[in-house]
Amino acid sequence: MTTLINNIKQLIGTREETTLLRGNALANLPSIENAFILIEDGIIADYGAMYELELKVPQLPKDIIDAQGKFVLPCWCDSHTHLVFAASREEEFIDKIKGMSYADIAAKGGGILNSAKKLEAASEDELFLSAWKRLEEVSKLGTGAIEIKSGYGLSVQAELKMLRVIKKLKEKSNLCIKATFLGAHTFPLEYKENHQGYIDLIINEMLPVVANEKLADYIDVFCETGFFSPHEMEIICKAGMSYGLKPKLHINQLNSIGGIEAAIKLNAVSVDHLETMTDNDIKLLSGGTIPANLPGVIGTLLPTAAFFLRMNYQPARKLIDSNCAVALASDYNPGSSPSGNMNFVVALSCIQMKMLPEEAINAATLNGAYAMELQNEVGSITIGKKANLIFTKAIPSLPYLPYSFGNNLIDKVMIKGEFI
Ligand code: NIG
Ligand code: FE
């Protein structure tokens, strides 16, 4: 099936080939005014300016869609979510309004442990159905590729249950999905004083099954005071890496405790959160110490988690100005970011972290794709990539997207060449 979309006011993110965007490169978002895009069997076959159409597409297909002055951009690539969960946690939302901190709530058995209790009681089918609904919602908001973590199981059975749900989502959904094993999200109560016991459980009981059933692409650890130390993270990641799982890690959300340095040594794909960064952390992440043959570690910023927990935002400007490669993701989860709306993530990044609209869009598309190692499939308008496209409503300019925050400016979303 061949489809031509013509009269696009501006086609955003057009790249003949791609590299991970660091520093200054993030501000460059190539685009074509008055453009067309040709799609064959769900794949971008060609694109260009309308004046080139006759030359590039001499035989017009039957299926032609007039984009009537709309902007078309690649779908969002949300590289960090916890989209599978059993129940919302608005009671903690109230506790936080009344003055409790995220750490206070976690210490009294709320937070992740609260979600684990609820997940334990939910069936695989129930979890699948609720996650499916969330996936549908975020795809309507423009997300075309997404990473989903386990981590609300915290027992062999429940972690595997979560990962099997993610596997089923992968099989049934048209979205590109990557799965991450986050058994090391927190220590279950019975292992509070026996860290080694839980680490042994992860390494000896969970990981072999995760690997055997091919349930995950990545391994994650919540490296934080009161959770996993950098040393514990290293042990768990090395075990995961022996099964081919690369690390994508929760680092420096509340405290800087050496996680960045440890993650770089592990050659992690990404370090995520980064609300609390020292100058030295930023220097380490800027790539100066990264061997030239390696792509370097991506810093994935999760501004809606900072927004929801009333924390300082990630130092996006400092990171970009220091030549770091940053991605943006939603962190969709019931505790710190109960929203997977990447349009709001992009707007918040511009409004509160002073990212330029071009930087934010690049970080939420191409760099997000790199943070899931999906850069050859999604994240830009490139021949051979999937036709995962956002069609905006009639808007005056691209910066209008983050400027007009909270308004739904998406007209239609196309996944693999089909409107959803
Ligand atoms: O990325 N910080 C660790 N994990 C999640 C939140 C988990 C929860 O509170 O349920 C996050 O913010
Ligand atoms: Fe997270």
Side-chain angles (χ1 to χ4, degrees), residues 80 82 89 102 112 152 185 222 250 253 273 331 333 335-336:
H80 180 135
H82 311 246
R89 301 207 315 250
Y102 184 78
I112 298 164
Y152 291 129
H185 203 180
F222 185 20
H250 280 75
Q253 180 180 13
H273 267 293
D331 198 17
N333 78 78
S336 66

Side-chain angles (χ1 to χ4, degrees), residues 40-58:
E40 268 172 27
D41 299 326
I43 301 290
I44 299 172
D46 211 344
Y47 63 87
M50 282 303 285
Y51 67 79
E52 300 173 299
L53 182 61
E54 218 180 297
L55 188 77
K56 288 191 163 185
V57 190

Side-chain angles (χ1 to χ4, degrees), residues 151-170:
Y152 291 129
L154 309 179
S155 68
V156 179
Q157 283 309 95
E159 278 297 309
L160 294 175
K161 177 166 70 177
M162 278 192 89
L163 288 167
R164 287 179 186 131
V165 169
I166 302 172
K167 190 174 185 186
K168 205 159 146 196
L169 293 170
K170 267 191 188 189

